[in-house]
Amino acid sequence: MLSELSSPTRDALLLLGRNRSFASGDLLFKQGDRHDGIFVIETGVVRSYYVSEDGRELTLGFWGEGNYVGGPQLFGGGQHAWTSEAQGPTRCVFLPGKELRKLVEQRSDLAIALLDALVHKSECYSALLQLLATHSMKVRLARLLAMLATSGSGRSIRLTHGQLAGMIGSTRQWVSQTLELFERQDLIQKKADGSVYVLRPDALASLR
């Protein structure tokens, strides 16, 4: 998001913001907490997840540098709809909602950048919803791997089996077994460091 801003707008935004540092496992905010602003990620990775009434977790996304967490309310208000957790040492800029709104009213490039970021998140959540609602577990994993491999960060996927399971509503054991099947079918290759290299994203995306 920050890369789309002019230098004066970026400086004004950072002046408004408050630097926050988090260790691995620290919560930026928790589901149900009062919502009073958003966090722009400078370094690190943040996982957003929803917890159902019976305690089950659904991972909504992993967000890296330049993304923000704390939507959908950009300017605060109400309660957080899900939880966001640092996945390692993470540095963010917290933007208080009321002050952010005032700055948006003055700077059109900031308004456009926020809209673009909101569109990106909407596309991610729409894809996740379609995946969960219309496909079998096997197809969910295949489509997820294909999407991650073509998202711009390369074909190497460094999420754990548990993290992948959390994104499709499955278990770590089932994901491990299905990845072995995909490897036998020459769709992926498992690496010694635990990552998965996607050999044929098109084949995974078209799996039925």
Side-chain angles (χ1 to χ4, degrees):
M1 189 182 81
L2 296 177
S3 63
E4 298 184 26
L5 304 177
S6 65
S7 294
T9 298
R10 182 187 174 96
D11 291 343
L13 189 67
L14 294 178
L15 186 62
L16 165 70
R18 304 164 190 169
N19 294 324
R20 301 277 181 86
S21 294
F22 302 92
S24 181
D26 285 351
L27 299 183
L28 283 69
F29 52 84
K30 189 169 66 173
Q31 185 175 321
D33 283 352
R34 179 186 173 198
H35 194 308
D36 54 4
I38 62 174
F39 293 80
V40 178
I41 304 167
E42 288 192 310
T43 61
V45 175
V46 173
R47 178 174 77 106
S48 294
Y49 62 92
Y50 173 78
V51 182
S52 67
E53 291 181 358
D54 60 1
R56 289 183 296 174
E57 286 186 10
L58 175 65
T59 297
L60 303 173
F62 291 86
W63 310 103
E65 178 182 343
N67 287 285
Y68 77 88
V69 291
Q73 303 99 324
L74 291 173
F75 307 124
Q79 297 177 328
H80 282 288
W82 44 75
T83 299
S84 285
E85 176 188 63
Q87 296 299 283
T90 299
R91 190 172 71 244
C92 299
V93 176
F94 174 71
L95 301 173
K98 291 181 180 179
E99 290 88 339
L100 178 60
R101 187 183 187 106
K102 291 178 182 178
L103 190 60
V104 165
E105 291 173 351
Q106 301 167 12
R107 298 182 179 272
S108 60
D109 58 332
L110 177 57
I112 292 171
L114 284 171
L115 282 173
D116 286 344
L118 193 58
V119 167
H120 172 64
K121 282 189 176 293
S122 297
E123 290 173 341
C124 292
Y125 291 144
S126 294
L128 179 62
L129 179 61
Q130 291 170 11
L131 206 62
L132 294 174
T134 62
H135 296 296
S136 68
M137 205 72 74
K138 179 180 175 182
V139 173
R140 290 182 200 177
L141 180 58
R143 297 285 177 87
L144 176 60
L145 293 173
M147 283 191 292
L148 292 172
T150 56
S151 64
S153 30
R155 293 193 182 184
S156 288
I157 298 170
R158 300 188 178 278
L159 300 179
T160 67
H161 294 185
Q163 289 170 333
L164 291 170
M167 297 183 76
I168 61 171
S170 182
T171 64
R172 183 187 61 79
Q173 292 84 352
W174 184 90
V175 166
S176 298
Q177 292 171 1
T178 307
L179 289 176
E180 290 178 3
L181 172 63
F182 288 165
E183 187 170 39
R184 292 196 299 270
Q185 294 173 336
D186 293 325
L187 298 173
I188 66 166
Q189 182 179 9
K190 293 192 293 184
K191 299 293 187 178
D193 62 0
S195 64
V196 172
Y197 185 81
V198 176
L199 298 171
R200 299 165 59 199
D202 291 345
L204 284 169
S206 62
L207 196 66
R208 296 290 185 270

